Amino acid sequence: MAHASDLIATDIDEYLTSHQYKSLLRFITCGSVDDGKSTLIGRLLYESHLVFEDHLAQLAADSAKVGTQGTDLDFALLLDGLTAEREQGITIDVAYRFFSTERRKFIVADTPGHEQYTRNMVTGASTADAAVLMVDARKGVLTQTRRHSYLVSLLGIKHVAVAVNKMDLVDYSHEIYDAICAEFLDFAGRIGIDHVTFIPVSALKGDNITEPSGHTPWYHGPTLMGHLETVPVDDEATSSPFRMPVQWVNRPSHDFRGFSGRVVGGTVKPGDPVRVLPAGTTSTVERIVTMDGDLHEAVAGQSVTLTLSDEIDASRGDLICAADSPAEVADQFEAHVVWMHEDEMLPGRPYLMKIGTRTVGVTIAHPKYRVDVNTLDHLAAHTLALNEIGVCNLSLDRAIPFDPYSTNRDTGGFVIIDKLTQNTVGAGLLHFALRRSHNIHWQDVRVDKGARAELNGQQPGVVWFTGLSGSGKSTIADIVEAKLHADGVRTYLLDGDNVRHGLNRDLGFTDADRVENIRRIAEVSALMVDAGIVVVVSFISPFRAERQLARDRVEDGEFIEVHVDTPLEVAEERDPKGLYAKARAGELANFTGIDSPYEPPEAPEVRVNTSVMSAEGAAEAVVEALRMRGIIG
Amino acid sequence: MTTTLDAGRLTHLQRLEAEAIQIMREAVAESERPAMLYSIGKDSSCMLHLARKAFHPSTPPFPLVHVDTTWKFSDMYEFRDKTAAEHGLDLVVHQNPDCVARGINPFDHGSAMHTDMWKTDGLKQVIDEHRFDLCFGGARRDEEKSRAKERVFSVRSAQHQWDPKRQRPELWQLYNARRSNGETLRVFPISNWTELDVWQYIHLEQIPIVPLYFAASRPVVERDGTLIMVDDDRFQLNDGEVPEHRSVRFRTLGCYPLSGAIESEADTLTGIIQEMLLATTSERQGRIIDFDASGSMEKKKQEGYF
């Protein structure tokens, strides 16, 4: 590492002091596969003298073996991390690189420009202060350039540089460069990118990377490195209202109670009045505690522990805000959602949402529209697939504090987590609370479930039959209802086929429609339980998450899940409606057990198997279980 | 670290420190049985210091776990015990009983088998035995190419496998620490630190490190161009090999027969940093296990090493 090496050799203390006060810039590079993005980053590392001798030796060996630059060093090979992708010649994930100059330290998120990888770019952009967009001078502004620009703008990056690369291949033509700038500016204006810096470069030859190039005498702007060293690190976070999500309540002893968290907006001082959301309680900051001693002020970006002057109740997930400009609190939102998983989004399915330090339940409505990231057109959509972006309404299971994403990334950005696999399946940006969130309240009523149940002289509940088509659900459910009815129990049977003729006639058999099908049935069941009735439900209901949703809609002990666990071979052999035959012949798509999954219950209240017991026997087993649980006398 | 701020702007080390603290608090808040993998090296020292800051005035609410091979430098064992006692931390030392029984060592069994059995298998054993659901590790993204893409919160299957396709996207400061079906997490709070950042932080914060990082006269033998320290009488000398005293220090610490020393006179922290900055070979070259092939770290990770 030779940069500043004179100072390092002669006065290491002076060097370290100067290094200590460097700021940090995180930026993202975006470009198409052949724009020379990896070459550019490799060049930045090389120019800041951060490539070690052994890395250089390996680079030379790799360049000769798989490089694309003949006998020259192929800088791109410095970056590609995983062996598989190195062989494919494309980077397939976000990689983080580090380098520093005498003025700044940099963290680069290197993301691929390949068609499929919106997910990675959004991930890289979420932590970036600035963006460098690569444009191939020979090709100009491409569809992919537009896509990257849109994503950069969506994620709220304010400082955008366009590196017009491969200028050496267009004879450093001023006209070509100007035409590209004009074309880009026209587009940038439409998507709300206000400040753009254009720089003509050749990553391969090193023009305008760290030194002004003699090949572009007509260019008087900064070099790329010069730009990166001077672009302002975003101070907006510090000037916005104070926000700190509580991460951890610090209680080493009875006489200390602190709230640990990272300040994500504004500044805070002892004596500042604060409001704790969503509860809305108020107090005053007493101390800002750190291991290095109390602070007289904490600013956005710092991790601290606050003590408050009142004994108020605050816990992980709460948001401590400036009392005079608190965040909003709501439970229904409009948001941009970016889908990040191979399994498409299922509108209506209960997911988890993590925002700040709070995790809540969320259901996502059908998208209002999907954004074509290439044309920015709004397209009709039923759901979102991997790498698709749409605008959707969200409904949460409780109210949360938030700011619009455009105001604060950390109180307006969220991720979506699948309840079953615990994978992060999506991300999103909150825009605003829906008005109805403020205006819909529960109407207090005088006659409640208990009163209705008492008049009926019975315990209400849901008997939920799940199983493959042809497993015998409907037959058993029918017998069960008849037995209950004979005993004087007020019942109602909801059958999958019958309901699809009416309430759910608009739904098909895609995963998304199946989820909505079950969501409606769960709601109807819950209403009937509220009316004091024993509801018998017979639906394939293939997904665990939706059966859980139905269970969650009623009280503990009111939901009896009956798994009609007839093996697929037996059900298919019976094939009472001829559906398996059709599905096998390819005439019927999305058929459970054939080309659509069935997730068996892990712990059903009752499990019956009609291949070894009669329908009558199975029904008797269910009635017995209801008796044991006190649903019937 | 210094609490005076330049016009409200944080220095790069202040930002890195705040990020590491946020990561640690998040991990502890969302796990049931966290632990910190403690390797006694400088990165571990740095990470432990950050943990003390993260939970101050409480003591870090997790034990230090040392996956021991019995072949570390004696200075390291001394430093480990002293550090844990000084900060009032529980120390879990695990030695793979299979290796103990079979006397696995780098001389007779080679570096690959030695490392695989003591460290990779040992780590799995201690996680299973104590049912740790989350372990902090001191890995950095700048150490090696395949680590540049590692997540801060990295999911391991119940069999401790790392699957590059199943790693979760990490946006903003939001980390998904949820686990299903026996999965565990490795969490790397100093992912975004470089070697220089770690050294500079140790310098600024005056964090104690093992004396082996400083130059001193030590008994060494030279093998294949690498200086190996003769730390105890288990060292198997070849015919005619005689240890000689040279002024050496170590850039990375591991099992002493597998750690290459460099000749140096640097016996102060700034002296070390100066040498490091002027050096022209990267840090991991001192680690013999990386020499196999450039994809080897990735393979080790998939098998569960770290």
Side-chain angles (χ1 to χ4, degrees):
Chain A
M1 305 216 297
H3 79 101
S5 62
D6 294 345
L7 192 55
I8 292 167
T10 55
D11 191 347
I12 183 67
D13 291 318
E14 174 63 26
Y15 172 81
L16 288 176
T17 304
S18 71
H19 187 79
Q20 181 184 336
Y21 294 105
K22 286 177 187 175
S23 57
L24 174 65
L25 182 82
R26 297 185 71 135
F27 70 97
I28 179 173
T29 55
C30 333
S32 312
V33 180
D34 324 312
D35 285 340
K37 181 167 52 71
S38 292
T39 306
L40 179 81
I41 300 171
R43 167 67 72 172
L44 288 173
L45 298 186
Y46 180 76
E47 295 283 355
S48 58
H49 303 278
L50 271 172
V51 181
F52 288 101
E53 257 178 19
D54 54 333
H55 284 169
L56 266 185
Q58 177 148 25
L59 175 63
D62 287 353
S63 296
K65 197 166 77 187
V66 287
T68 55
Q69 300 302 329
T71 53
D72 288 344
L73 292 180
D74 186 351
F75 291 111
L77 294 175
L78 276 175
L79 306 181
D80 293 348
L82 302 181
T83 38
E85 43 192 278
R86 209 185 310 171
E87 280 149 23
Q88 288 168 20
I90 47 165
T91 45
I92 57 168
D93 206 331
V94 190
Y96 296 91
R97 312 287 168 190
F98 308 86
F99 67 96
S100 63
T101 65
E102 282 162 48
R103 301 182 63 166
R104 251 189 193 160
K105 174 186 161 106
F106 299 93
I107 300 179
V108 194
D110 180 18
T111 62
H114 197 274
E115 193 84 32
Q116 297 169 28
Y117 297 114
T118 296
R119 168 177 64 182
N120 298 329
M121 215 198 107
V122 168
T123 303
S126 73
T127 53
D129 307 304
V132 176
L133 292 168
M134 305 286 298
V135 175
D136 185 330
R138 296 169 305 172
K139 297 177 185 162
V141 177
L142 297 177
T143 300
Q144 299 191 30
T145 318
R146 295 175 204 277
R147 176 167 74 235
H148 298 149
S149 311
Y150 168 69
L151 294 175
V152 158
S153 146
L154 180 70
L155 271 287
I157 298 176
K158 300 280 188 285
H159 305 288
V160 177
V162 173
V164 181
N165 192 24
K166 306 196 182 182
M167 286 301 292
D168 54 317
L169 299 181
V170 294
D171 295 329
Y172 300 96
S173 160
H174 192 181
E175 288 70 32
I176 290 178
Y177 171 78
D178 275 351
I180 290 173
C181 297
E183 191 185 355
F184 185 87
L185 272 179
D186 175 52
F187 174 72
R190 287 195 283 135
I191 58 171
I193 296 179
D194 300 329
H195 303 289
V196 189
T197 304
F198 295 93
I199 308 169
V201 302
S202 166
L204 192 66
K205 306 289 182 194
D207 294 291
N208 291 323
I209 302 294
T210 55
E211 297 292 331
S213 169
H215 294 117
T216 54
W218 41 265
Y219 175 73
H220 306 291
T223 62
L224 182 59
M225 194 77 98
H227 167 75
L228 293 172
E229 283 182 326
T230 52
V231 72
V233 175
D234 228 333
D235 293 331
E236 273 178 30
T238 307
S239 56
S240 66
F242 171 65
R243 302 282 186 264
M244 190 189 93
V246 176
Q247 282 192 282
W248 193 68
V249 180
N250 197 335
R251 298 204 73 170
S253 62
H254 290 300
D255 54 5
F256 186 92
R257 187 156 181 259
F259 303 101
S260 298
R262 189 171 188 191
V263 181
V264 298
T267 62
V268 66
K269 291 187 177 75
D272 281 358
V274 289
R275 186 180 292 268
V276 181
L277 296 177
T281 43
T282 54
S283 186
T284 307
V285 174
E286 191 179 52
R287 296 170 56 199
I288 304 172
V289 179
T290 77
M291 197 169 85
D292 304 308
D294 284 10
L295 304 185
H296 64 271
E297 183 184 40
V299 303
Q302 276 183 303
S303 288
V304 293
T305 297
L306 302 182
T307 63
L308 304 179
S309 52
D310 304 277
E311 286 260 329
I312 61 168
D313 191 30
S315 50
R316 175 170 168 82
D318 288 346
L319 185 68
I320 303 180
C321 303
D324 56 359
S325 50
E328 291 178 65
V329 174
D331 63 359
Q332 304 206 35
F333 300 94
E334 185 183 283
H336 263 97
V337 173
V338 183
W339 203 249
M340 301 193 152
H341 200 269
E342 287 77 9
D343 297 340
E344 66 178 17
M345 177 177 98
L346 295 179
R349 163 168 288 191
Y351 291 102
L352 295 173
M353 167 180 180
K354 184 171 184 185
I355 175 164
T357 56
R358 179 173 287 262
T359 303
V360 296
V362 62
T363 52
I364 310 167
H366 290 283
K368 293 179 175 174
Y369 58 85
R370 177 168 81 75
V371 179
D372 182 323
V373 292
N374 297 326
T375 61
L376 306 188
D377 288 342
H378 294 183
L379 308 175
H382 208 56
T383 180
L384 295 175
L386 175 63
N387 290 312
E388 288 184 344
I389 298 176
V391 168
C392 309
N393 284 354
L394 308 179
S395 177
L396 278 53
D397 62 4
R398 75 201 86 156
I400 58 157
F402 81 102
D403 292 295
Y405 182 84
S406 56
T407 311
N408 190 317
R409 283 184 181 192
D410 292 305
T411 49
F414 61 91
V415 294
I416 297 164
I417 299 167
D418 186 90
K419 283 186 163 185
L420 199 67
T421 63
Q422 309 289 8
N423 284 329
T424 302
V425 292
L429 299 74
L430 293 179
H431 297 311
F432 52 82
L434 297 179
R435 206 169 261 277
R436 64 172 182 248
S437 159
H438 303 299
N439 294 341
I440 299 183
H441 300 284
W442 282 101
Q443 187 68 41
D444 279 335
V445 290
R446 273 177 258 190
V447 179
D448 64 7
K449 182 168 73 177
R452 295 186 201 103
E454 201 177 317
L455 191 65
N456 284 347
Q458 65 183 51
Q459 286 298 317
V462 180
V463 188
W464 189 286
F465 288 83
T466 172
L468 297 168
S469 176
S471 61
K473 291 183 304 298
S474 296
T475 309
I476 303 168
D478 184 44
I479 301 173
V480 167
E481 193 190 21
K483 283 177 183 288
L484 296 181
H485 188 76
D487 275 359
V489 178
R490 286 158 210 255
T491 60
Y492 192 82
L493 177 71
L494 288 167
D495 180 83
D497 286 344
N498 296 351
V499 171
R500 277 186 179 277
H501 288 299
L503 176 65
N504 290 352
R505 68 192 299 170
D506 56 326
L507 300 176
F509 290 88
T510 61
D511 283 355
D513 279 355
R514 284 171 186 275
V515 169
E516 176 61 14
N517 186 33
I518 299 304
R519 188 192 69 80
R520 291 183 195 175
I521 297 312
E523 290 295 339
V524 171
S525 303
L527 285 175
M528 288 190 171
V529 166
D530 200 47
I533 293 171
V534 173
V535 196
V536 180
V537 180
S538 171
F539 275 72
I540 296 174
S541 46
F543 305 127
R544 256 175 234 146
E546 282 67 55
R547 295 194 302 266
Q548 184 64 42
L549 172 119
R551 185 183 287 272
D552 292 344
R553 296 295 294 119
V554 295
E555 288 175 44
D556 286 350
E558 287 180 342
F559 192 86
I560 310 296
E561 188 174 19
V562 181
H563 182 201
V564 184
D565 190 10
T566 304
L568 178 62
E569 312 81 69
V570 177
E572 188 169 358
E573 175 69 27
R574 287 181 192 155
D575 205 5
K577 301 169 204 161
L579 298 175
Y580 282 98
K582 278 193 194 172
R584 288 288 184 200
E587 294 162 22
L588 193 56
N590 301 317
F591 194 74
T592 301
I594 307 299
D595 60 346
S596 184
Y598 179 79
E599 300 168 0
E602 284 169 337
E605 276 75 7
V606 185
R607 195 189 303 270
V608 295
N609 178 347
T610 57
S611 67
V612 295
M613 61 205 294
S614 67
E616 183 66 30
E620 195 46 56
V622 174
V623 171
E624 184 53 34
L626 295 179
R627 206 165 270 132
M628 274 170 53
R629 285 175 165 75
I631 302 254
I632 55 174
Chain B
M1 200 175 312
T2 173
T3 53
T4 49
L5 299 170
D6 172 21
R9 187 173 296 172
L10 304 181
T11 68
H12 73 285
L13 280 174
Q14 286 172 323
R15 256 179 99 170
L16 290 173
E17 179 192 68
E19 177 186 76
I21 289 174
Q22 188 240 343
I23 290 165
M24 287 184 169
R25 289 169 173 172
E26 208 58 17
V28 163
E30 297 217 351
S31 62
E32 280 154 31
R33 298 178 65 84
M36 176 173 282
L37 302 178
Y38 182 71
S39 72
I40 326 175
K42 68 176 198 307
D43 297 313
S44 282
S45 288
C46 177
M47 186 167 61
L48 175 58
H49 186 78
L50 289 163
R52 292 177 53 231
K53 286 198 170 195
F55 301 101
H56 173 86
S58 297
T59 305
F62 42 77
L64 299 184
V65 173
H66 181 220
V67 180
D68 188 21
T69 65
T70 73
W71 286 92
K72 303 293 170 187
F73 293 89
S74 51
D75 272 3
M76 291 173 72
Y77 292 115
E78 192 184 317
F79 183 87
R80 175 194 73 187
D81 295 343
K82 197 180 71 178
T83 302
E86 197 173 299
H87 301 307
L89 292 163
D90 289 336
L91 175 66
V92 173
V93 176
H94 179 83
Q95 298 173 346
N96 180 350
D98 198 26
C99 294
V100 174
R102 292 163 64 180
I104 300 296
N105 69 76
F107 297 102
D108 301 318
H109 303 97
S111 65
M113 184 194 273
H114 172 80
T115 304
D116 186 52
M117 289 190 64
W118 280 109
K119 292 182 75 174
T120 309
D121 293 347
L123 177 59
K124 293 175 190 172
Q125 288 164 355
V126 74
I127 288 173
D128 289 344
E129 187 179 319
H130 291 263
R131 290 180 291 116
F132 293 129
D133 54 3
L134 181 149
C135 295
F136 291 108
R140 291 180 279 109
R141 284 170 171 158
D142 81 325
E143 283 179 86
E144 210 265 343
K145 275 197 282 187
S146 83
R147 284 191 174 167
K149 300 178 185 198
E150 177 65 282
R151 301 298 191 270
V152 175
F153 282 60
S154 181
V155 189
R156 301 299 147 98
S157 71
Q159 292 74 42
H160 307 281
Q161 302 285 309
W162 178 78
D163 177 355
K165 293 204 172 58
R166 285 213 51 225
Q167 299 304 308
R168 299 160 174 172
E170 290 178 340
L171 294 98
W172 302 290
Q173 311 178 35
L174 292 173
Y175 302 102
N176 175 358
R178 302 182 68 90
R179 304 161 299 279
S180 67
N181 304 329
E183 285 173 346
T184 60
L185 287 169
R186 301 283 193 283
V187 175
F188 305 112
I190 58 168
S191 279
N192 285 327
W193 296 50
T194 62
E195 188 183 11
L196 177 57
D197 295 331
V198 171
W199 279 120
Q200 177 130 29
Y201 190 69
I202 287 170
H203 172 59
L204 284 174
E205 298 279 309
Q206 301 177 332
I207 302 170
I209 52 172
V210 183
L212 293 160
Y213 285 109
F214 300 101
S217 175
R218 299 187 170 100
V220 293
V221 295
E222 187 168 339
R223 285 189 178 171
D224 304 326
T226 306
L227 293 175
I228 306 289
M229 180 172 161
V230 182
D231 196 51
D232 59 41
D233 53 18
R234 292 179 296 174
F235 196 97
Q236 297 176 10
L237 290 169
N238 295 334
D239 285 344
E241 223 173 29
V242 181
E244 54 174 325
H245 273 78
R246 292 206 212 168
S247 180
V248 295
R249 64 178 188 87
F250 295 86
R251 290 168 59 190
T252 60
L253 296 176
C255 293
Y256 81 80
L258 297 175
S259 299
I262 54 166
E263 290 199 86
S264 166
E265 302 292 333
D267 56 3
T268 62
L269 211 42
T270 48
I272 294 174
I273 298 173
Q274 189 171 31
E275 273 196 2
M276 195 266 301
L277 288 172
L278 296 173
T280 52
T281 54
S282 66
E283 179 188 15
R284 296 199 68 88
Q285 220 180 35
R287 293 194 194 175
I288 291 170
I289 53 166
D290 278 352
F291 279 174
D292 318 345
S294 73
S296 74
M297 184 57 76
E298 190 189 336
K299 281 185 214 126
K300 286 198 173 59
K301 203 155 64 170
Q302 287 180 3
E303 289 157 8
Y305 172 76
F306 224 55

